[in-house]
Amino acid sequence: EAGVTQSPRYAVLQEGQAVSFWCDPISGHDTLYWYQQPRDQGPQLLVYFRDEAVIDNSQLPSDRFSAVRPKGTNSTLKIQSAKQGDTATYLCASSFGGSNERLFFGHGTKLSVL
Amino acid sequence: GDSVTQTEGLVTVTEGLPVKLNCTYQTTYLTIAFFWYVQYLNEAPQVLLKSSTDNKRTEHQGFHATLHKSSSSFHLQKSSAQLSDSALYYCALSDHTGGNYKPTFGKGTSLVVHP
């Protein structure tokens, strides 16, 4: 069974630049999560989807961040104008929300904003 | 909202000795599951243990944890630490009120096992 796939693995930006992260969850998993993990901290939930619907995006900085999952499979997280404070690893995870709550994580995208 | 507290940022232990990683939580929901995730260097986090039952010991890969709702705790323990256990450990809870699972993670504890 293929795991959760994320790309790119690394990104380096100047402040003000835009970047997109892509996630392909495990086939059949209806729930998809995006987490931000600053250095030396635990994962912090940004947004999560059930199929194509946003369930909770209350922690997503809506002025610069956006996330979509148009067909209920792959997802894209975009930062419109990056800031140094966005430097972190961005983790995507998926689960089958019906009966199995554990998350399966991708390797993440490590973002550095200079 | 939910919160998970891991008091130690770093735990160091000698190989072969017991180790305990602390985890306490606060939640306003009744329907919850608890997890320990482990993240090895340059790897993605992966689940180590899961529990939803009060006062029931859960074991996997030599680690064990018991959920104690009376003290809001889910500490992780191992009787004999191995060098290969060196990793980041995250305690997490997931409330699934309304059928949607929303996991919340602690800040993590780095475990270093030395010879």
Side-chain angles (χ1 to χ4, degrees), chain A residues 97-113:
Chain A
S99 61
N100 186 351
E101 316 107 318
R102 74 175 196 171
L103 304 189
F104 293 81
F105 283 89
H107 280 81
T109 296
K110 190 171 184 178
L111 173 67
S112 296
V113 183

Side-chain angles (χ1 to χ4, degrees), chain A residues 33 37 50 56 97 101, chain B residues 37 47 50 90 100-102:
Chain A
Y33 306 82
Q37 186 177 22
R50 182 81 173 264
D56 188 334
E101 316 107 318
Chain B
Y37 285 83
V47 70
K50 171 192 167 185
Y90 295 102
N100 293 304
Y101 299 95
K102 183 177 177 180

Side-chain angles (χ1 to χ4, degrees), chain B residues 49-114:
Chain B
L49 290 174
K50 171 192 167 185
S51 178
S52 301
T53 306
D54 198 12
N55 297 315
K56 181 180 178 182
R57 176 172 164 141
T58 302
E59 298 189 36
H60 186 61
Q61 295 182 349
F63 287 91
H64 63 91
T66 303
L67 175 62
H68 292 296
K69 293 185 178 181
S70 61
S71 58
S72 300
S73 67
F74 189 53
H75 306 316
L76 181 69
Q77 300 183 65
K78 190 172 187 182
S79 58
S80 176
Q82 305 301 307
L83 295 175
S84 58
D85 295 331
S86 295
L88 275 168
Y89 291 81
Y90 295 102
C91 183
L93 71 80
S94 181
D95 72 69
H96 47 93
T97 301
N100 293 304
Y101 299 95
K102 183 177 177 180
T104 299
F105 286 76
K107 290 187 176 182
T109 298
S110 180
L111 174 63
V112 176
V113 182
H114 56 84

Side-chain angles (χ1 to χ4, degrees), chain A residues 21-99:
Chain A
F21 310 132
W22 180 81
C23 174
D24 186 7
I26 292 173
S27 178
H29 281 191
D30 56 357
T31 308
L32 185 146
Y33 306 82
W34 283 103
Y35 283 88
Q36 181 190 61
Q37 186 177 22
R39 185 177 174 83
D40 298 329
Q41 294 189 36
Q44 298 162 11
L45 183 67
L46 290 173
V47 59
Y48 77 106
F49 300 84
R50 182 81 173 264
D51 298 319
E52 67 277 4
V54 173
I55 302 302
D56 188 334
N57 62 357
S58 59
Q59 301 306 309
L60 193 69
S62 58
D63 58 333
R64 297 185 300 109
F65 286 65
S66 62
V68 294
R69 194 186 184 200
K71 298 182 179 179
T73 52
N74 301 336
S75 177
T76 302
L77 175 69
K78 183 174 183 178
I79 305 177
Q80 195 70 24
S81 178
K83 297 182 178 180
Q84 288 187 352
D86 299 331
T87 295
T89 297
Y90 290 82
L91 293 167
C92 177
S94 69
S95 70
F96 179 60
S99 61

